Amino acid sequence: MSMPAADEHVQHLPIEFANEKESIKITGFWMFLVTDILIFASLFSTYAVMHNAVAMGPSSQQLFQMGPVMLETLLLLTSSFTIGLGIYAMRKGQARALIYWILLTILLGAGFVFTEIHDFVSFAAIHATWHTSAFLSAFDILVGTHGAHVTFGIFWAVTLLFQLKKRGITAQTARKVFTFSLYWHFLDIVWIFIYTFVYLNGRIG
Amino acid sequence: MSETNQALTAEQAYQEDNDSALGFLKPQFHEEKFPTVQIWGYIGSLVLTFAAYLLVMNHVLPPVALLSVILTLAVIQAGLQLGVFMHLKEGRGLAWQLIPLYLVFLIAIGMVGMSIWIMLFKSGVS
C-alpha cells in the first residue's frame, strides 16, 4: 500500500492547534474578538455622531497634536510586529526567543500607554476632560477603552512570561500565547482606526 | 460501486461537498525559513500609516474625499494585520471563526457607516 509519509506536502499542525481541546479555545477567542468589534463599533459610531458637538470646549482641530499620536502609532505597530515574530519563534520551538519577543512587546505596549496617559493629562491641564463636551466624552470613552484593553494586555503578557519560564512551550502555553497575540493584533487594528478616524480626521476638520 | 445514475450515499455527498465547496476551509499553515511575511507586513503597515499622515497634512483632497481615502488605507492595513499577523486563514474549523467575523464586519460597517452618513447632512459644521 502507498504510504502517505512519502508525500512532501504532509504538514504538521503548529503546536497551538495540535491539541483539539486547546485549539477550540482559539476558535472561542475569535468569538470574543467578534463581540469586542461590536463594542468598538458602537463607540466609533458615538464618536462619529458627537465629533462636532464641542459645546464651549476645544474642537478636535484645536486639541490634537500629531507628535504623540505618531509616537503611539509607531510603538503599537512595532509591538504588533514583535509579537508576530514571537509566534514565529514559538512555532519553531524557540522558548527563549519567544520570551524576549514578549518582553519587547510589553515594553513597547507600556511606552504606548505612558504616551497616551501623558497626552490625556496634558488635555486635562487645559480643562479638556470628558466633562467638557460631548465630543470629549465620546473621545475619552473610545480612546480610553482601547487604552484599557492595552493595559490589560500588558498584565496578561506578564502572566504568560511566568508560565513560559516555568513550563516552557507546551500545547497549553502555546495556545495562551497565540490568543494573546490575536488580542494584541486586534488592538493594533482598532488603533489604526482610531488613528485614522479620530486623529487624522480631526486634522481634516 | 457508485454509478452515475445511482444516488450518492450520505457519506459520499459529505466527502464531495467537503472537497469541492469547502476545500478552502482545509487547515493550511505557513512554514518559512525566515519571517519574510511578517517583515513585509510591518513595512506595509508603516507605509500605509505614513501615506495617510502625509495625505492629511498636505490636504491633497477635499475633506470628504480625503476621509474616504484614508479610511480605505486603514481597511487595507487592517486586512494586512488580519492576514499576516493574525493568521486568519490558519486554524481548525475555520468556518466557525470566519462566518461570525464576516457577519460582525457587516454589522460594524453598517453601524459606523450609517452614523457617518447621517452626520454628513449637517455639513454646515464641517
Side-chain angles (χ1 to χ4, degrees):
Chain A
M1 303 303 281
S2 64
M3 292 287 287
D7 186 357
E8 60 189 67
H9 293 104
V10 158
Q11 207 174 22
H12 294 287
L13 293 170
I15 186 165
E16 70 270 22
F17 289 105
N19 179 311
E20 194 189 0
K21 283 217 170 79
E22 298 298 336
S23 179
I24 201 158
K25 288 173 185 171
I26 295 173
T27 310
F29 197 78
W30 279 98
M31 300 306 111
F32 163 72
L33 290 183
V34 162
T35 61
D36 228 20
I37 290 173
L38 280 182
I39 289 179
F40 280 107
S42 44
L43 293 177
F44 272 108
S45 303
T46 313
Y47 183 82
V49 173
M50 298 300 187
H51 180 197
N52 292 310
V54 295
M56 303 296 276
S59 70
S60 58
Q61 237 167 342
Q62 294 163 329
L63 194 64
F64 295 160
Q65 303 292 323
M66 286 313 283
V69 174
M70 292 310 283
L71 178 61
E72 287 169 73
T73 307
L74 278 179
L75 287 169
L76 212 59
L77 270 183
T78 309
S79 77
S80 188
F81 177 52
T82 56
I83 193 66
L85 292 178
I87 295 302
Y88 177 81
M90 182 179 83
R91 287 184 173 181
K92 293 216 171 266
Q94 301 163 344
R96 181 173 286 270
L98 172 58
I99 286 175
Y100 284 129
W101 285 125
I102 293 178
L103 211 53
L104 193 54
T105 306
I106 291 172
L107 289 176
L108 290 164
F112 171 88
V113 171
F114 280 116
T115 314
E116 186 161 87
I117 289 172
H118 185 265
D119 219 24
F120 271 55
V121 169
S122 74
F123 289 168
I126 55 168
H127 304 292
T129 63
W130 63 10
H131 300 287
T132 310
S133 62
F135 152 61
L136 280 167
S137 300
F139 168 79
D140 280 358
I141 197 76
L142 170 58
V143 180
T145 303
H146 175 268
H149 272 75
V150 176
T151 310
F152 173 78
I154 290 170
F155 288 113
W156 181 5
V158 170
T159 68
L160 293 179
L161 281 182
F162 284 112
Q163 295 187 18
L164 282 171
K165 198 101 181 100
K166 199 173 171 189
R167 300 177 205 162
I169 299 174
T170 66
Q172 195 187 32
T173 55
R175 181 266 300 169
K176 288 178 177 181
V177 173
F178 191 76
T179 47
F180 168 73
S181 87
L182 288 180
Y183 181 77
W184 201 259
H185 296 309
F186 167 74
L187 291 183
D188 191 45
I189 292 176
V190 173
W191 179 259
I192 291 164
F193 283 101
I194 291 177
Y195 166 75
T196 304
F197 190 62
V198 175
Y199 290 106
L200 287 183
N201 189 27
R203 300 299 298 187
I204 293 174
Chain B
M1 278 287 281
S2 63
E3 305 290 339
T4 43
N5 57 352
Q6 192 178 348
L8 291 172
T9 65
E11 190 58 34
Q12 286 166 333
Y14 176 72
Q15 284 299 334
E16 271 187 27
D17 290 352
N18 275 342
D19 290 347
S20 60
L22 300 175
F24 72 101
L25 291 176
K26 188 173 165 242
Q28 284 182 340
F29 298 93
H30 296 283
E31 295 172 50
E32 310 116 40
K33 298 248 187 309
F34 191 76
T36 320
V37 185
Q38 281 87 341
I39 290 167
W40 279 113
Y42 181 52
I43 293 172
S45 297
L46 287 178
V47 168
L48 288 167
T49 301
F50 282 101
Y53 178 76
L54 291 175
L55 287 176
V56 169
M57 286 304 155
N58 296 313
H59 295 281
V60 293
L61 287 168
V64 175
L66 194 52
L67 180 61
S68 313
V69 170
I70 60 172
L71 278 178
T72 309
L73 292 180
V75 169
I76 294 171
Q77 201 178 336
L80 206 63
Q81 288 284 330
L82 275 168
V84 172
F85 291 112
M86 296 176 84
H87 309 273
L88 182 67
K89 291 294 184 71
E90 298 181 12
R92 294 165 70 175
L94 269 187
W96 292 103
Q97 72 195 47
L98 288 182
I99 293 169
L101 207 58
Y102 290 151
L103 188 61
V104 84
F105 283 154
L106 195 69
I107 296 169
I109 290 168
M111 195 150 67
V112 181
M114 290 297 169
S115 299
I116 295 173
W117 177 70
I118 202 77
M119 293 313 284
L120 289 178
F121 290 99
K122 298 205 303 186
S123 54
V125 282
S126 67

